[in-house]
Amino acid sequence: MLGAAKVEVMLFEASGAFANRDTAKHAYDLIKGAFGCTAMIKTILAKYPYANRELLHSISAIFVQASGKDDCVRTWLMKPAGNGDLVTFERVQKARFSVNAKDRASIREIIDFFFTLKNLIEKSVASITALKESHDDHVLDGTRSGVRLDDMLKPTPLKPKKTQGHYGKISVLDPPSFTYPSSDSA
């Protein structure tokens, strides 16, 4: 949560216990994370709707998913793209957990993972701070643009439903990223 603004920038989901190979749960949680990230971005933009439109592309929401499917933790980053017609959901990193305390490569991989996550959070917070300052400036000097930032973001992914077997085949893909088009272009 971002200070007094009470804005969330990161979502975490553990897709089952360590070594749990439920691929449908993994896929369901990934889709649920994308839905949650979209909601976080819309909330941020609704809080600062009169900020400079050029700042739209700097806003991001982070989803961290720990998965027993392959004993990995992943960081996904969602950002608006185009003129708000798309949002990208990119896997920016993946690290494997090991239960072997002597596995130095795994330990280094996890340390790098959390260092990169820290940098992503700092960048997200800085972009929200810039958005807030721009919004405040436009409200104070009366130069609000005609289009609110939250109205520019068009994609609205469907809320995931927990249906038996519905997500089982998706998780074998382990995509590095995907894009939601706006509902107008679908």
Side-chain angles (χ1 to χ4, degrees), residues 74-86:
R74 295 165 177 80
T75 301
W76 297 82
L77 190 66
M78 181 173 278
K79 295 182 82 160
N83 289 321
D85 296 332
L86 300 171

Side-chain angles (χ1 to χ4, degrees), residues 22-182:
D22 185 352
T23 57
K25 170 91 169 108
H26 172 82
Y28 172 72
D29 289 344
L30 175 61
I31 292 167
K32 200 167 62 170
F35 181 80
C37 284
T38 305
M40 285 192 292
I41 289 174
K42 286 186 180 232
T43 300
I44 292 165
L45 296 176
K47 189 159 188 77
Y48 308 114
Y50 301 114
N52 186 327
R53 296 170 68 166
E54 293 176 20
L55 295 174
L56 176 68
H57 301 105
S58 68
I59 299 304
S60 62
I62 302 163
F63 175 54
V64 176
Q65 182 183 27
S67 173
K69 176 184 86 124
D70 53 5
D71 304 330
C72 289
V73 61
R74 295 165 177 80
T75 301
W76 297 82
L77 190 66
M78 181 173 278
K79 295 182 82 160
N83 289 321
D85 296 332
L86 300 171
V87 290
T88 60
F89 193 51
E90 178 183 8
R91 188 186 74 209
V92 293
Q93 64 176 347
K94 175 180 174 179
R96 182 173 305 279
F97 276 98
S98 174
V99 291
N100 180 355
K102 295 182 183 197
D103 184 353
R104 291 178 185 225
S106 177
I107 292 169
R108 278 193 301 273
E109 193 175 348
I110 294 299
I111 289 169
D112 288 345
F113 178 90
F114 284 108
F115 183 76
T116 300
L117 180 60
K118 172 190 167 287
N119 290 334
L120 289 169
I121 293 168
E122 287 173 351
K123 189 175 179 181
S124 183
V125 168
S127 67
I128 294 169
T129 301
L131 194 77
K132 179 189 181 316
E133 290 171 359
S134 175
H135 168 83
D136 291 348
D137 288 347
H138 286 108
V139 168
L140 287 174
D141 66 15
T143 59
R144 298 180 205 175
S145 66
V147 180
R148 293 172 49 104
L149 282 183
D150 52 335
D151 290 338
M152 290 180 66
L153 194 67
K154 304 279 189 309
T156 51
L158 299 174
K159 186 170 183 177
K161 296 179 183 171
K162 202 167 192 172
T163 307
Q164 186 68 17
H166 186 72
Y167 302 103
K169 300 286 185 202
I170 297 172
S171 61
V172 296
L173 300 175
D174 192 22
S177 62
F178 54 90
T179 304
Y180 284 121
S182 82

